Amino acid sequence: MKQASYQIDLPKTPTAVVFVNGIKAENLAGCWWLWKQKFSIRQACLAAAGCEEVKVGNCSLQEAVIVSYWQDEASLMEFFHSPVHRRMMKEMMSFMANNPQALSLYNETYRPLRSGKYWQKPHGLAKMYQPIG
């Protein structure tokens, strides 16, 4: 049976933002930290007001990408200034101070420019915007 694809009705100036957080373990200590923390990072984001969805992808045993979908930039900024995020950052910075070569990190924030393609159930931005048609 052929699956029907769809797109979403993305406004010309969408309020949603997508936050990408990449973590690569550079040694065994970093691997231990990564596998211990990545799902608690996911749960902390999901519990935050304005976070619609979080996807954790394993690129390899040493690397993960966490993609979170936020209603708007204000919600993301509110999470960044929350006690939960401050605690996570304090713990991570403490780990990195004791293991300076253990992790490589990056984060990027994007605003959607156009609809992607979706099949079956909604994921990502399709949880935030209605399908076309």
Side-chain angles (χ1 to χ4, degrees), residues 15 45 56 59 64 73 131:
T15 58
C45 291
V56 176
C59 302
E73 191 169 354

Side-chain angles (χ1 to χ4, degrees), residues 25-35 62 95 99 101-103:
E26 300 293 347
N27 57 31
L28 191 57
C31 278
W32 175 254
W33 183 91
L34 173 63
W35 282 88
Q62 294 175 256
F95 172 79
N99 303 277
Q101 302 300 312
L103 298 173

Side-chain angles (χ1 to χ4, degrees), residues 84-104:
V84 170
H85 188 262
R86 285 189 190 137
R87 187 185 78 248
M88 285 190 326
M89 293 304 296
K90 183 178 178 183
E91 290 170 5
M92 184 182 70
M93 297 311 285
S94 174
F95 172 79
M96 291 183 71
N98 293 321
N99 303 277
Q101 302 300 312
L103 298 173
S104 293

Side-chain angles (χ1 to χ4, degrees), residues 2-133:
K2 185 177 177 186
Q3 300 292 328
S5 68
Y6 63 94
Q7 292 184 295
I8 56 174
D9 188 14
L10 193 66
K12 286 186 188 243
T13 54
T15 58
V17 293
V18 181
F19 184 73
V20 178
N21 188 8
I23 306 168
K24 184 172 183 191
E26 300 293 347
N27 57 31
L28 191 57
C31 278
W32 175 254
W33 183 91
L34 173 63
W35 282 88
K36 204 169 93 170
Q37 297 298 321
K38 66 183 174 179
F39 295 109
S40 64
I41 294 169
R42 178 183 184 272
Q43 288 307 115
C45 291
L46 284 172
C51 182
E52 294 293 326
E53 185 167 39
V54 180
K55 301 287 192 178
V56 176
N58 296 316
C59 302
S60 69
L61 291 175
Q62 294 175 256
E63 188 172 7
V65 175
I66 303 167
V67 180
S68 53
Y69 297 85
W70 298 82
Q71 290 174 355
D72 51 37
E73 191 169 354
S75 298
L76 178 59
M77 291 300 119
E78 187 175 321
F79 175 66
F80 285 162
H81 295 101
S82 71
V84 170
H85 188 262
R86 285 189 190 137
R87 187 185 78 248
M88 285 190 326
M89 293 304 296
K90 183 178 178 183
E91 290 170 5
M92 184 182 70
M93 297 311 285
S94 174
F95 172 79
M96 291 183 71
N98 293 321
N99 303 277
Q101 302 300 312
L103 298 173
S104 293
L105 308 165
Y106 69 90
N107 65 66
E108 301 169 343
T109 304
Y110 299 98
R111 290 193 183 279
L113 298 175
R114 63 184 171 276
S115 175
K117 290 267 188 176
Y118 303 90
W119 287 264
Q120 292 187 5
K121 296 181 180 180
H123 293 273
L125 294 172
K127 286 190 167 186
M128 302 166 70
Y129 296 102
Q130 294 299 312
I132 295 173

